[in-house]
Amino acid sequence: MAAIVFDNFSYSYDGAAKALDGVDLTVARGSFTVVAGPSGAGKTTLCFAACGVVPHYFGGSMAGRVSVAGVATAGSSMRELAVNVGTVLEDFESQLVTMTVAEEVAFALENRGVGHDRIARRIGEVLAQVGLAGLEDREVGSLSGGQKQRLAIASVLATRPEILVLDEPASALDPEGAEELYALLASLNREYGMTLLVVEHDLARVLAYADNLLVLADGRIACQGRPEEVLPVLARSEELAAMVPPLWQLKFGLEERFETRFAPWRHEGEAIEELGGFIGAGRREDTKSA
Ligand code: ADP
């Protein structure tokens, strides 16, 4: 069974034009799917639809269907859906509801009937994972924006959802924090098979981890596939080319200039290694022909 399925799904907020328009999407279990696209493309609406905020919180009109872990979102409450899918929305501050850091994580677990011993252990575990260890008794209101974002993520991770939907989860983090967060998400994906659907505009942050890249434009899927399939398509599009990470812009430039093909570089290390070999081979050719 797929983790998330959009079946010819369209949605309009009350009185507005279509925010999503005929979306067909299957997110496989255990996939690390990244959603990108220009502002207003429908990325947040896609997250809303995957956790039931659309249609349960917003009115509007919809067609088609979305199911999560085999359950149709339209036919279940957000609370029922939350058993299978954890969500951190763009406006993560609105998800924080208690006084202290530890209470915030405990709240999500108490709601699910997790026992006290286990709650204490989980709090320690998830706060360490997101880099908030030692802040258990801090008031939520006194945290920085980045710390609040980490806390919102920790509260969701504590419930160990099978499926995690995150809308720009690194928006309030510094570059190092963003890197740590994505390394953590990748390890949860690898070790526990957690399915991830993540909106991230900076594709360089997720290149090393994403196995599925989905690009939305004007409420529709512009392209989708493995990053190495999608990035060349983006590079050829006037509207979407700016989304190609610098490393891949360099790759495409060099491939064209030298009429060659490099491997799909997931990070700079792989690029440096391959380019080192490429330059070395070029030098040997030069020496031979001299
Ligand atoms: P993205 O996350 O890609 O920036 P959104 O999903 O936020 O895109 O928005 C998709 C479209 O829906 C945009 O045209 C936006 O203006 C519209 N929209 C988003 N939220 C609302 C809302 N609450 N009411 C009416 N229109 C909305």
Side-chain angles (χ1 to χ4, degrees):
M1 194 202 339
I4 304 176
V5 179
F6 281 64
D7 184 7
N8 197 11
F9 184 78
S10 298
Y11 177 78
S12 313
Y13 294 94
D14 254 341
K18 280 184 183 167
L20 292 176
D21 187 3
V23 171
D24 279 311
L25 166 66
T26 300
V27 177
R29 267 180 196 269
S31 145
F32 192 139
T33 294
V34 170
V35 182
S39 172
K43 304 180 296 294
T44 291
T45 308
L46 190 85
C47 293
F48 284 170
C51 66
V53 170
V54 157
H56 297 298
Y57 181 79
F58 290 101
S61 56
M62 60 177 252
R65 104 190 210 125
V66 179
S67 52
V68 176
V71 178
T73 55
S76 339
S77 68
M78 285 172 61
R79 207 185 155 88
E80 285 165 341
L81 293 168
V83 172
N84 295 315
V85 59
T87 313
V88 179
L89 296 173
E90 202 175 16
D91 178 19
F92 55 86
E93 296 205 22
S94 67
Q95 289 184 264
L96 303 172
V97 293
T98 67
M99 287 297 288
T100 71
V101 168
E103 282 169 7
E104 188 63 43
V105 179
F107 179 76
L109 296 172
E110 280 159 4
N111 265 346
R112 285 175 168 69
V114 178
H116 276 289
D117 283 3
R118 215 191 265 169
I119 288 182
R121 240 180 302 132
R122 288 255 186 110
I123 291 173
E125 183 187 297
V126 290
L127 292 182
Q129 281 179 328
V130 302
L132 293 180
L135 300 188
E136 283 79 353
D137 298 325
R138 276 280 294 277
E139 280 193 24
V140 174
S142 74
L143 299 177
S144 69
Q147 289 171 325
K148 284 181 185 161
Q149 190 163 37
R150 290 166 192 265
L151 179 57
I153 294 165
S155 306
V156 169
L157 288 181
T159 66
R160 301 191 173 166
E162 279 176 59
I163 304 168
L164 193 54
V165 173
L166 304 165
D167 193 354
E168 298 271 4
S171 60
L173 304 182
D174 58 18
E176 202 181 315
E179 213 169 288
E180 286 166 7
L181 171 65
Y182 280 113
L184 167 65
L185 294 177
S187 77
L188 296 172
N189 173 252
R190 224 174 20 242
E191 287 167 33
Y192 305 110
M194 189 183 277
T195 306
L196 298 171
L197 180 71
V198 186
V199 174
E200 174 57 64
H201 70 277
D202 184 354
L203 295 182
R205 288 174 174 165
V206 291
L207 259 186
Y209 312 120
D211 56 24
N212 188 26
L213 178 56
L214 175 83
V215 179
L216 284 177
D218 295 326
R220 293 167 168 271
I221 296 180
C223 46
Q224 191 197 173
R226 298 192 60 79
E228 62 268 31
E229 295 164 349
V230 170
L231 291 169
V233 178
L234 295 184
R236 288 193 295 271
S237 151
E238 217 169 281
E239 193 197 354
L240 305 173
M243 286 166 47
V244 176
L247 186 67
W248 278 63
Q249 292 188 14
L250 177 74
K251 176 174 161 3
F252 292 142
L254 289 172
E255 285 177 343
E256 195 177 339
R257 165 71 181 77
F258 293 100
E259 293 178 356
T260 187
R261 279 281 171 271
F262 296 116
W265 295 337
R266 287 174 307 167
H267 48 77
E268 279 115 11
E270 288 185 354
I272 289 165
E273 191 174 322
E274 190 168 18
L275 288 174
F278 182 74
I279 294 165
R283 263 211 220 106
R284 284 191 291 281
E285 281 298 310
D286 287 350
T287 322
K288 255 194 266 163
S289 54

